[in-house]
Structures are given as C-alpha cells and as structure tokens.
Amino acid sequence: MNAEASIVPAGVVDAGEILTVQRAAYLSEAQHYNDPFLPPLTETLDEVVTVLTGPSTVLAARLGHRLVGSVRAHLDGDTAHVGRLSVAPDQQGRGVGAQLLTAIERVCAGRAARFTLFTGADSGRNLRLYQRHGYRIVAHRPDPNGISLAVLEKPAVSSARSDA
C-alpha cells in the first residue's frame, strides 16, 4: 500500500485513533531507550482531546478511512513547535512522516519565522528525516527521565525573509 496519504485537519472524533497510532509508533522508541514512560506513551485520551480543542494545529494522515499518522504544532511567538509526529508502524518508511512534516510547516507558514522540534539524540531514522527537511541540531538536553534529546530548528521559508 504505497498510495499517498491524504493529510487533513484532525478533530476531536480522531482522538482515539491518534492516541492508538501514537502509542504504536512510539513503542519502538520506548524499547530503544528502555523507557516505557515517554510522554507520547503516557498521554491520555483526555489530554489528546484537550490538544485537539486548543490552539494547536493537529493534522492527520489517512489512507482511505484509516488514520495512519498525525502531527501537531503550536505557535509561541514566531516559533512553531512541532511535536508528536507519529506514523503507524506498518506505514513507516513510506513517506507518511515526510508528508505530515511538510503539511504542518505549510499550515504554519506565514505565522512562524522558525520551526523547532526534538527527538531522541540516538534516534537516527528520525534525525535523518528532520535533517532531510532542513532541520539542524542546535542543542542537546535531557528529558525528565534523563534521556538525551536532540533539539532541532529550521528557519521558515518565506519570500519576505532574506535571512536564513
């Protein structure tokens, strides 16, 4: 199934599917870091609903009726904080994550001067995806459980901006 996913705004009705895909997607990260308490795994359905009804932008990737991925971003000043990029394990490596990343950037374009996100410092596949999309590591910091995170940033592409 290599069909391109459709990327659509997510709504409250998608909360359960988003949480299910998120937990499945982050399970391999939890195993890699030997930490079952990663925030995407401990987030509750109520917390996902709160995000969906708040100021954050949440996008869902669908193949037919199936939700196969999601991503969210919230604006803080001129910075768009991208997070919870999740793709169903059986769809990983097929471009869905790249589609979601491109789509969330497009939605935030014109409102953000830069994008920022983080991932595990040892998560090579994630780092390669983000670096292919123009993100650069700007810092490392530990998460609350001591796992080293890589913080990445990317300037927003805009014809009105001449600095990069």
Side-chain angles (χ1 to χ4, degrees):
M1 190 188 284
N2 271 338
E4 187 157 307
S6 61
I7 309 297
V8 297
V12 173
V13 297
D14 300 313
E17 284 181 286
I18 288 171
L19 187 59
T20 299
V21 168
Q22 180 176 293
R23 286 181 176 169
Y26 278 88
L27 197 55
S28 61
E29 288 288 289
Q31 291 168 336
H32 178 79
Y33 291 101
N34 197 27
D35 184 356
F37 300 107
L38 297 178
L41 296 176
T42 61
E43 190 170 40
T44 67
L45 183 60
D46 286 343
E47 289 170 331
V48 173
V49 168
T50 297
V51 169
L52 287 163
T53 58
S56 293
T57 299
V58 183
L59 300 178
R62 290 195 170 276
L63 287 174
H65 293 291
R66 180 181 173 210
L67 191 146
V68 295
S70 67
V71 66
R72 57 180 83 161
H74 74 273
L75 286 167
D76 181 11
D78 66 352
T79 301
H81 297 272
V82 177
R84 298 289 201 274
L85 178 62
S86 306
V87 176
D90 69 315
Q91 296 300 313
Q92 292 175 4
R94 298 175 183 220
V96 176
Q99 278 185 262
L100 282 163
L101 191 57
T102 298
I104 199 75
E105 290 174 358
R106 193 175 307 121
V107 168
C108 295
R111 298 181 294 156
R114 69 183 176 137
F115 296 95
T116 186
L117 53 81
F118 62 86
T119 190
D122 295 329
S123 298
R125 189 173 178 177
N126 297 345
L127 289 167
R128 285 188 296 278
L129 168 68
Y130 299 137
Q131 289 171 331
R132 276 195 313 270
H133 284 265
Y135 287 82
R136 297 292 170 249
I137 297 171
V138 295
H140 285 89
R141 66 175 171 82
D143 79 353
N145 300 329
I147 294 171
S148 180
L149 299 174
V151 179
L152 295 93
E153 288 184 0
K154 170 184 176 175
V157 177
S158 169
S159 57
R161 290 178 51 89
S162 60
D163 60 318

